[in-house]
Amino acid sequence: MKKIIFSTFYFSLFTLAALLTSCSDFFTPETDDQLESDTYISDNTELYMGFLGLMTKLQAAGDKEILLTDTRAEFLEPTANAGSELHALYDYKENLTGNSLATPAEYYEIIIACNDYLNKVKEYRNQPQVDTEICRALISSTIRLKVWAYKTIGEIYGEVAWFDEPIGDINEFLNGGQYEMLNMEQISDRCLSLLENGYDDAPANLTVDWVRWLDKENENSQPSSEFYDFLFMVPDYGGLYTELALWKGAYLDAAGAADQAAIYYKKAADVILTTINEYVNMTSPKLPVSLQRNTLIANSGTDKIGSSVYWMPSAATPGAYRKIWYQENPDRYEMASVIKYMYENGQTNRLVEYFNCDAPAKYLLAPSEAGILNFTDKTTNPGGSDNDGRLKNLVDYDGIKTYMSKYRHNGGDGTVRTDAYMADVHIYTYRATQYFLLLCEALNNLGRFTALDCVLNKGFTDNGYTADLVLLDTLNIEEATIQAETDIEMRQKVNRYNEIKDEFEGFTRNWTNSPEWGARKYYFTGMRGAYAANGLTARTLVSEGNINAAKRANDLQILKEAELELACEGKTLPWMNRVAVRYNDLNIVANEICPKYEASGKADEIRGKILSGGNWIKYPLK
C-alpha cells in the first residue's frame, strides 16, 4: 500500500471532500490545488474522497436531533429571542410544514449519499488497483452511517421513507414518487438486518484504521497522529446495534411476545458488554497499542493501568467529567463515536449559537426550572443538590441569565476560543457512559436485576461481588466439576459459579478492584457511585408475579438517570419514547416532559398532544 502524506492540518480532508459538489462527483475529485507539491496519493483516492464526502453530510446533520428533540424534551425551553419555528416545536404544533428546523432533509441527504456511494463502490471495487481491505472497511462504515441516519429519523419522526436505490439529490427525493414507509419497529428490523448481514460481502462492524493507512509512522502511537480522531467519526457499531435491539425488544414486549423480546435484549446485552469490555479489559483496537491490555502485561507496564478511567465510571469521573465537553478535542476515554468540527475549516454547528448568551450567540434555548429541578430534587435524584457535577457542567449563570453551557465553557485551560461563534463544538453520537445506561436497560429487561443494581448504583466491588467475578474468570468449570466430587471446598466454588454465571455473564474481574493484572487505581464504582450519589431504587428481589412491575419501575429509574447524564444530547426524548412503547403508555413521556410546561399553564394541553401521538414530530415529506 502506498503511503499518503498530508501536510495540511487536521481534518483538511473534510475540506477537500466538501468541495465535491454532489454525490455524482464523489469519484472524480479535484485535488491538485489542495495538496502540497510533495504529496502523492494512492490509487484508492476515489474511495476515501467519496467517503469523506459522506462525513460532511454527517456534520451538516450533527446538531439537528439535539435542537429538535431537546426543545420538546424535559430540559429546554425557548427564550424571548426564539422565533416562531422554535416555539412551534416547543408547543408541539401539529402542522410543521415549511418549518426549516423540523424538516428531515439533512438526514435523507446522508441516506442518498450513502446509497450512491455503496452503488459506485460495488462497481469500483473489482478494479485491480483497489485495496480490498480498505474497500470493505469503507463499505462497512457507510452501512453504519446509513443505519444511523435511518434510526435517527425513526426516533424523531416515528416513521421513515425507506429506499436503497441511488437517486439524484434531495430535491429529486422530495419531489419523487412513492417510497416504502416504515414505522419504528420496521425500521429496527431493516437496520438490524443491515448490521447483521452487511453489504456486498462486507460486514457492518469493520473500522477503517485511518492512522495505519494514512500515517503509518504513528501506527503504534495513534493519539500522536493528526488522523487519530478519524477512528471515531463513524457511528459506532456497538451503540447502533444495541439501541436497535432494545427498540425491537420494546415493540415485542408491547405485543405480548416476551420470549421473543428477551432474544433481542440478550443480543443488546451481549453486544454492548463486548463493546465495553474492549476498553475495560484494554483490548480495543481503537486504544493505542501502548495502552492495550496484552501489551501492558507482556511489557510489565502495569503502572499505566490505574492512571486512567478507561471508559468506566469511577472515583476519577467527577474530576474528568468537564473534559468531556470542555476540551477542544473530544475526550479520548469517553468517545465511542463523535462528530468533530473545526472553525478554521468552516465547520460549525448551531449549538453555541442557540445555547450561549455571549455575543454573537443568540441565546434561543435555555434551561427550564423543571429541568434543573431534576438534578436538585432529592426525590428524583437522591442526594441531588446544586453542587451536582453534571448540573454545574450543564448550566451556568452570567449574572442575568441562566444558560446552557454544556457545549462551551468560558475561561479555563486556554483551549476554548474567546468568541462563542468560533467554538469548535464536538457532538458525541455515542459515548462510553451512554453505553453503561444502555447496558442497564438490557439487563433490566432480561431480569438480571442484581447485575443491573451493580452497574447503575455502586459497582461490583462495593456491592461485594469482587470474589464472584474473580471466580467466574479463573475457575475452569469442567475440571472443577470433576474435582468437586471429592473436594468439599471445590464443590462450594462450583455451586457458587453455577449460581451466578447467568446473572454476571459477560462481566469480568476487570470491573472490580482486583483485575487480572493485580491493581487498578480507578475501579468501576457504578454510575451513581461515581458521583458518590445515593443509589436509585433498583428492584432486585422480586417474586415471580411481580417481575413485570419491577422491570417497569427499574426502567423508569434508568430513564431518570439517562435524563441527568444525557441532557441536551438529543438522546432523552427517544429514550422516553422507547420505554413508552414497551409499556404501551405515552403517559411515561408526558410525565417526564409536562412539568416544564406547568409555569406557562400549558401542561394539560401538551399532555393531550403527546397522548395523541405528538411524541413523534409530524412532518409530511410531500
Side-chain angles (χ1 to χ4, degrees):
M1 185 186 304
K2 294 182 180 179
K3 180 180 177 184
I4 305 171
I5 305 171
F6 290 91
S7 58
T8 50
F9 53 86
Y10 178 69
F11 261 45
S12 60
L13 288 180
F14 280 131
T15 304
L16 298 179
L19 295 175
L20 305 179
T21 56
S22 72
C23 299
S24 62
D25 294 327
F26 279 1
F27 286 79
T28 56
E30 296 179 4
T31 61
D32 293 346
D33 295 331
Q34 303 301 319
L35 299 175
E36 300 295 333
S37 58
D38 62 346
T39 303
Y40 64 96
I41 303 176
S42 77
D43 290 330
N44 294 287
T45 301
E46 292 89 344
L47 287 174
Y48 70 75
M49 287 302 297
F51 180 77
L52 291 171
L54 304 181
M55 291 298 98
T56 65
K57 302 289 187 183
L58 177 61
Q59 283 182 316
D63 57 16
K64 195 169 185 71
E65 188 173 20
I66 296 171
L67 298 178
L68 280 181
T69 65
D70 281 303
T71 299
R72 296 157 63 93
E74 83 289 352
F75 195 80
L76 293 177
E77 60 186 9
T79 69
N81 300 334
S84 59
E85 290 190 333
L86 272 176
H87 278 285
L89 284 167
Y90 179 77
D91 290 335
Y92 281 72
K93 296 293 185 184
E94 293 181 8
N95 185 5
L96 293 171
T97 303
N99 188 311
S100 64
L101 285 173
T103 173
E106 292 94 332
Y107 295 117
Y108 282 110
E109 287 201 35
I110 293 174
I111 294 165
I112 291 167
C114 286
N115 286 344
D116 193 45
Y117 182 77
L118 290 171
N119 183 65
K120 289 179 177 176
V121 170
K122 187 173 184 178
E123 299 172 358
Y124 187 77
R125 66 180 296 188
N126 294 323
Q127 297 186 27
Q129 74 270 24
V130 172
D131 185 302
T132 300
E133 177 188 0
I134 293 295
C135 189
R136 293 177 79 240
L138 288 170
I139 292 172
S140 182
S141 297
T142 305
I143 293 169
R144 296 201 303 280
L145 182 57
K146 176 178 175 177
V147 165
W148 176 85
Y150 270 129
K151 177 194 76 77
T152 305
I153 295 172
E155 288 181 329
I156 297 172
Y157 301 94
E159 63 178 6
V160 73
W162 188 284
F163 54 98
D164 293 309
E165 68 279 2
I167 59 178
D169 56 28
I170 187 63
N171 292 323
E172 183 176 338
F173 165 70
L174 293 174
N175 297 322
Q178 297 296 314
Y179 300 101
E180 185 180 12
M181 297 302 298
L182 306 181
N183 62 28
M184 189 61 206
E185 182 179 14
Q186 294 166 324
I187 295 167
S188 300
D189 287 331
R190 199 72 62 89
C191 287
L192 285 169
S193 178
L194 268 174
L195 292 177
E196 291 173 347
N197 299 314
Y199 175 84
D200 196 28
D201 193 37
N205 60 351
L206 300 179
T207 300
V208 180
D209 192 340
W210 291 92
V211 176
R212 183 167 64 86
W213 187 23
L214 302 178
D215 189 10
K216 200 167 182 64
E217 290 179 358
N218 284 308
E219 182 179 0
N220 291 328
S221 57
Q222 292 186 348
S224 301
S225 173
E226 62 181 322
F227 300 104
Y228 176 65
D229 287 350
F230 275 44
L231 299 172
F232 303 89
M233 63 185 174
V234 179
D236 186 60
Y237 179 90
L240 280 172
Y241 192 97
T242 301
E243 278 195 303
L244 289 162
L246 290 172
W247 273 108
K248 180 61 179 178
Y251 277 102
L252 288 169
D253 262 338
D259 289 345
Q260 293 179 48
I263 294 172
Y264 285 91
Y265 295 137
K266 178 68 163 57
K267 290 181 177 183
D270 290 348
V271 169
I272 205 64
L273 265 170
T274 298
T275 303
I276 294 173
N277 276 332
E278 288 178 348
Y279 289 82
V280 171
N281 298 334
M282 291 184 289
T283 57
S284 170
K286 290 182 182 178
L287 284 174
V289 172
S290 61
L291 292 180
Q292 289 186 27
R293 182 183 73 173
N294 294 339
T295 303
L296 282 167
I297 294 173
N299 296 336
S300 300
T302 54
D303 60 308
K304 298 178 181 178
I305 290 173
S307 64
S308 193
V309 183
Y310 292 114
W311 271 47
M312 295 189 301
S314 72
T317 298
Y321 189 80
R322 292 188 73 197
K323 296 178 182 178
I324 300 173
W325 313 101
Y326 186 81
Q327 298 177 131
E328 191 169 7
N329 292 313
D331 186 66
R332 185 177 305 163
Y333 298 110
E334 182 70 11
M335 62 179 173
S337 51
V338 65
I339 306 171
K340 191 172 177 180
Y341 299 80
M342 283 196 73
Y343 172 74
E344 290 96 335
N345 272 5
Q347 300 163 2
T348 59
N349 58 53
R350 294 169 287 187
L351 298 184
V352 170
E353 174 190 355
Y354 276 52
F355 293 150
N356 267 157
C357 55
D358 51 333
K362 297 178 180 178
Y363 187 54
L364 304 179
L365 292 167
S368 67
E369 290 185 11
I372 292 174
L373 192 63
N374 283 346
F375 290 85
T376 59
D377 186 278
K378 290 179 172 55
T379 301
T380 57
N381 183 22
S385 72
D386 293 340
N387 290 320
D388 186 292
R390 290 177 289 190
L391 176 62
K392 292 174 74 173
N393 174 81
L394 183 61
V395 302
D396 210 340
Y397 181 66
D398 71 348
I400 301 175
K401 300 180 287 291
T402 301
Y403 66 94
M404 251 286 300
S405 61
K406 191 169 193 172
Y407 294 95
R408 184 178 188 268
H409 294 273
N410 296 311
D413 61 4
T415 61
V416 179
R417 302 189 183 283
T418 303
D419 296 313
Y421 72 93
M422 300 173 69
D424 294 336
V425 174
H426 44 267
I427 298 172
Y428 297 96
T429 49
Y430 289 107
R431 61 186 183 91
T433 310
Q434 178 186 358
Y435 280 6
F436 287 87
L437 283 163
L438 291 172
L439 175 59
C440 286
E441 184 177 346
L443 292 172
N444 177 55
N445 287 286
L446 286 169
R448 294 170 61 179
F449 298 142
T450 300
L452 160 65
D453 186 43
C454 291
V455 175
L456 181 61
N457 287 321
K458 298 194 301 180
F460 295 89
T461 298
D462 293 346
N463 271 318
Y465 291 109
T466 295
D468 285 328
L469 292 190
V470 171
L471 178 69
L472 288 174
D473 260 9
T474 57
L475 189 70
N476 184 321
I477 188 61
E478 290 80 11
E479 294 179 2
T481 301
I482 296 172
Q483 186 178 343
E485 295 178 2
T486 57
D487 186 329
I488 294 177
E489 182 178 350
M490 185 58 69
R491 190 179 310 153
Q492 292 173 337
K493 290 183 178 180
V494 169
N495 288 340
R496 183 59 181 168
Y497 180 101
N498 289 326
E499 286 175 6
I500 62 177
K501 63 182 178 65
D502 292 336
E503 185 70 31
F504 292 145
E505 181 185 4
F507 295 97
T508 73
R509 64 185 296 180
N510 299 326
W511 290 68
T512 75
N513 64 348
S514 182
E516 61 192 275
W517 49 79
R520 187 174 219 150
K521 183 177 181 181
Y522 295 123
Y523 61 89
F524 177 65
T525 58
M527 298 194 64
R528 303 277 300 171
Y531 299 99
N534 296 346
L536 296 173
T537 307
R539 300 190 182 183
T540 56
L541 300 175
V542 297
S543 63
E544 186 70 28
N546 291 328
I547 288 179
N548 289 336
K551 287 181 178 180
R552 179 179 173 124
N554 289 342
D555 260 336
L556 295 178
Q557 295 280 13
I558 296 164
L559 173 58
K560 291 286 188 184
E561 190 66 16
E563 290 172 14
L564 300 180
E565 181 64 39
L566 304 175
C568 301
E569 296 182 40
K571 297 173 170 60
T572 60
L573 183 55
W575 203 303
M576 295 175 204
N577 279 334
R578 187 167 62 245
V579 178
V581 163
R582 182 173 294 125
Y583 299 105
N584 284 309
D585 187 1
L586 282 173
N587 279 295
I588 289 172
V589 180
N591 290 344
E592 300 303 309
I593 290 174
C594 288
K596 78 173 183 180
Y597 293 90
E598 292 286 354
S600 63
K602 295 181 178 179
D604 290 342
E605 175 190 349
I606 298 303
R607 179 177 292 273
K609 290 181 177 181
I610 290 172
L611 297 184
S612 298
N615 57 310
W616 311 112
I617 289 178
K618 303 301 181 183
Y619 192 93
L621 290 177
K622 300 290 185 180

